[in-house]
Amino acid sequence: MYKLLIATLGIIATIGVTAPTILPQSAQAQSAPATSAAKRVILTLKAEKQVKIGDKIAYEATSGKSVKPGDVLRYTVNAKNGDKAVKNLMLTQPIPRGTSYVKNSATALNGAELLFSLDGGKSYVAKPMMGKKEAPTTAYTNLRWKFTGTLEAKAQVNAVYEVVVK
């Protein structure tokens, strides 16, 4: 029997006038309704800062490093499944306070549908609108990757997105 599984990783960001530090929070998983299925998927979050080396772009770990306005951070959420297949996996991530989503930066393997929220995660749509216009990425509050297939036992998927520090 398959259960709908919603996995959520939160990020704590300390953004201030001086050099702030981005701190990943420990992973959490939830299922609806709450069952042991949530314990089957292990989530990890990796944060990296974009750096330019000559004319090339690279990424370095943010652990213990400061960021400043204009810095681009790349987050990678890894979901690793346990011993049983999970159907309809959803990965949900907040856009950290003090940052804005970088348009078209979110990617996911295994053909996940990418959804966005403007209301703190209460609702999600593929193309957020404000009136008759597409919402600016500065209004995005959360991202969700909705996998329509089955994540097989012992399989893993990655979801990646970037934000810019305000």
Side-chain angles (χ1 to χ4, degrees):
M1 175 182 220
Y2 295 114
K3 301 279 186 189
L4 172 68
L5 183 66
I6 300 173
T8 304
L9 265 175
I11 299 173
I12 297 173
T14 306
I15 305 293
V17 178
T18 58
T21 303
I22 302 298
L23 303 170
Q25 184 181 26
S26 61
Q28 299 174 18
Q30 305 172 18
S31 64
T35 67
S36 62
K39 296 177 182 174
R40 290 199 308 253
V41 178
I42 298 169
L43 300 176
T44 57
L45 177 66
K46 179 171 71 171
E48 300 170 299
K49 179 180 170 182
Q50 187 182 86
V51 293
K52 292 187 180 179
I53 302 170
D55 59 349
K56 294 186 179 184
I57 293 176
Y59 293 88
E60 60 184 30
T62 60
S63 180
K65 297 184 181 175
S66 297
V67 297
K68 62 185 182 306
D71 283 348
V72 175
L73 306 175
R74 177 174 69 181
Y75 291 103
T76 303
V77 181
N78 176 269
K80 186 174 182 180
N81 199 10
D83 294 332
K84 295 182 181 179
V86 174
K87 190 173 182 177
N88 299 323
L89 176 70
M90 283 191 231
L91 299 177
T92 301
Q93 271 298 108
I95 303 298
R97 289 185 184 171
T99 69
S100 295
Y101 171 71
V102 174
K103 189 171 185 166
N104 299 322
S105 68
T107 61
L109 300 177
N110 297 15
E113 178 183 13
L114 182 59
L115 304 169
F116 302 94
S117 177
L118 302 178
D119 59 9
K122 294 176 186 170
S123 63
Y124 289 87
V125 294
K127 187 175 180 182
M129 303 294 286
M130 290 181 133
K132 294 185 179 192
K133 292 185 177 183
E134 187 173 350
T137 57
T138 55
Y140 292 15
T141 61
N142 298 71
L143 299 167
R144 176 173 282 169
W145 293 266
K146 184 178 178 183
F147 295 86
T148 55
T150 300
L151 182 60
E152 297 300 329
K154 305 288 184 185
Q156 61 183 340
V157 293
N158 289 310
V160 179
Y161 68 104
E162 292 180 350
V163 297
V164 63
V165 178
K166 294 180 186 179

